[in-house]
Amino acid sequence: MKISVELTLTPLQNDFEPAIIHFIKKLRTSNLKVLENPLSTQVYGDYDEVMSLLQNEIKEAFQLIENGLLYIKIVKTDRQDYEPHF
């Protein structure tokens, strides 16, 4: 089953950029399709592969920050080729 996941990591600390950059770079090392924009990061692929990657990388990201939020949206389909029609 293919899924699309949108993630927004928000460390609640002054020096927040290094944690976000580290998180995104770790996601990029996977064999999955990873896209970034200024507000979020999207990961596309097989459910088991994506969720396994996220389980490990979210845990590491949380260990590197004192406090933070992670917003996750999961769609049950591969939306990597989506283009708006307006």
Side-chain angles (χ1 to χ4, degrees):
M1 162 182 24
K2 298 292 185 183
I3 62 171
S4 303
V5 179
E6 181 178 69
L7 305 153
T8 303
L9 177 62
T10 309
L12 300 175
Q13 58 195 42
N14 289 331
D15 190 23
F16 59 89
E17 286 184 346
I20 295 170
I21 291 168
H22 179 79
F23 182 62
I24 292 171
K25 284 184 175 182
K26 292 293 298 260
L27 294 176
R28 286 179 183 168
T29 64
S30 73
N31 292 327
L32 300 170
K33 176 75 170 185
V34 177
L35 300 174
E36 306 99 24
N37 65 52
L39 299 176
S40 66
T41 301
Q42 294 84 37
V43 181
Y44 304 94
D46 179 72
Y47 178 90
D48 291 329
E49 289 179 65
V50 173
M51 297 308 283
S52 177
L53 171 70
L54 294 180
Q55 179 179 358
N56 294 328
E57 299 311 328
I58 290 169
K59 182 176 182 178
E60 182 176 323
F62 279 175
Q63 289 172 334
L64 294 173
I65 60 177
E66 188 171 330
N67 295 298
L69 302 170
L70 180 67
Y71 298 95
I72 303 174
K73 296 178 190 175
I74 302 173
V75 179
K76 186 189 167 198
T77 186
D78 186 335
R79 303 288 291 168
Q80 67 180 308
D81 295 325
Y82 171 79
E83 292 186 29
H85 300 286
F86 53 88

